[in-house]
Amino acid sequence: PAESLLYPYGPDQRDRKTPKLDDGTSNQISLTTPFTFYGKEHRSLYVNNNGVVSFGTRVKKYTPDPLPLADGRAFVTPYWADVDNVLGGDIFYREITDPALLARITKNINEYFPNVPFAATWAFVATWDHVAYYGSTTDKGNTFQAILTTDTKRSFVILNYWDIQWTTGAASDGDPETGLGGTPAHAGFNSGDETNFYNIPGSRTDAIINITKTSNVNVPGRWVFQVDDFKVTSTEVPEVANSNNCWL
């Protein structure tokens, strides 16, 4: 069931939504707890319709660029592609304060990183719910999440992929009928420098359609990373079934 992979989201969770706007973004969202991303403390972020959670600046670009980007942009991208929520779907987001949900996140992180002491005191969840692609002539939709969480010392990112039916918008040379081809979606994150970044295997290739079946924590459709410090992250990721899923 979806509940086993996705964290709760939607109107009943009092989520907010980004505007129904092609290449749209949320307003700047002030965080009640700072989030450390590669040694930099961030107190606000943007949820961008095109599958990006960014710090400091919006990301409206619809065709994903290869990482790393050395232009100072810092962001997490569960699925950077040309989303068009005017044609279908919603993008939800909220800060998490529910103790039961924070406990669930803590339990998950402790399972994946048993040697890293962690008890979540804060989290932020953004969910793309059955979102369409630009130029779509079908009802195909993608559902995925990005969760940021911290205990004020260590920070983690959880990426959940529940249903991925398309990879590419028409303006990125994708097929309007299939949502495939062209320059496919990118998943990973960029610190803003030339060293600290990660491309989830399959990014910007047709293989990204299979991201619901891949993982670095042996949970199909889930990727988890420690992101407060790159060196800690690269050494603490537990051994996975596919040894090629390594840090760059």
Side-chain angles (χ1 to χ4, degrees):
E3 295 79 31
S4 65
L5 184 71
L6 299 177
Y7 296 104
Y9 70 92
D12 60 342
Q13 300 294 324
R14 298 183 179 178
D15 279 6
R16 300 179 69 181
K17 293 196 292 186
T18 66
K20 292 277 190 181
L21 181 65
D22 183 40
D23 302 328
T25 77
S26 69
N27 292 325
Q28 186 175 27
I29 302 164
S30 297
L31 306 179
T32 58
T33 296
F35 183 78
T36 300
F37 188 65
Y38 290 131
K40 295 182 180 179
E41 189 177 90
H42 297 278
R43 296 178 179 272
S44 65
L45 53 75
Y46 297 92
V47 177
N48 305 274
N49 287 6
N50 288 337
V52 179
V53 176
S54 59
F55 305 101
T57 185
R58 293 176 169 88
V59 177
K60 294 186 176 183
K61 196 172 189 299
Y62 51 84
T63 300
D65 291 320
L67 304 183
L69 305 178
D71 59 6
R73 281 186 290 172
F75 56 77
V76 175
T77 173
Y79 206 79
W80 185 6
D82 199 358
V83 171
D84 189 348
N85 64 343
V86 177
L87 292 179
D90 291 294
I91 297 108
F92 296 101
Y93 63 89
R94 77 181 184 284
E95 288 185 290
I96 293 173
T97 57
D98 174 33
L101 188 50
L102 288 173
R104 176 179 164 186
I105 292 171
T106 296
K107 180 176 182 289
N108 290 152
I109 297 296
N110 292 164
E111 289 172 354
Y112 309 143
F113 297 79
N115 298 321
V116 180
F118 182 79
T121 57
W122 173 91
F124 182 92
V125 58
T127 307
W128 285 257
D129 182 42
H130 201 72
V131 290
Y133 56 93
Y134 180 81
S136 173
T137 60
T138 73
D139 61 357
K140 284 187 173 185
N142 288 346
T143 299
F144 55 92
Q145 283 184 326
I147 297 91
L148 284 57
T149 185
T150 185
D151 63 0
T152 71
K153 294 182 179 179
R154 297 175 180 87
S155 302
F156 289 86
V157 168
I158 302 170
L159 305 179
N160 291 327
Y161 302 92
W162 175 245
D163 188 20
I164 300 297
Q165 300 181 1
W166 61 268
T167 64
T168 320
S172 305
D173 297 324
D175 186 318
E177 294 184 3
T178 66
L180 305 175
T183 303
H186 199 134
F189 36 82
N190 195 70
S191 71
D193 62 37
E194 295 182 352
T195 304
N196 300 329
F197 66 97
Y198 186 69
N199 300 304
I200 288 180
S203 288
R204 297 181 85 248
T205 76
D206 294 339
I208 199 67
I209 194 79
N210 297 317
I211 199 168
T212 57
K213 302 174 184 177
T214 64
S215 177
N216 67 336
V217 293
N218 293 318
V219 178
R222 175 171 286 174
W223 289 76
V224 187
F225 306 94
Q226 186 172 351
V227 298
D228 50 278
D229 180 84
F230 184 80
K231 291 181 180 180
V232 171
T233 305
S234 65
T235 58
E236 295 294 345
V237 171
E239 188 172 342
V240 296
N242 182 355
S243 61
N244 292 325
N245 295 343
C246 57
W247 284 83
L248 301 180

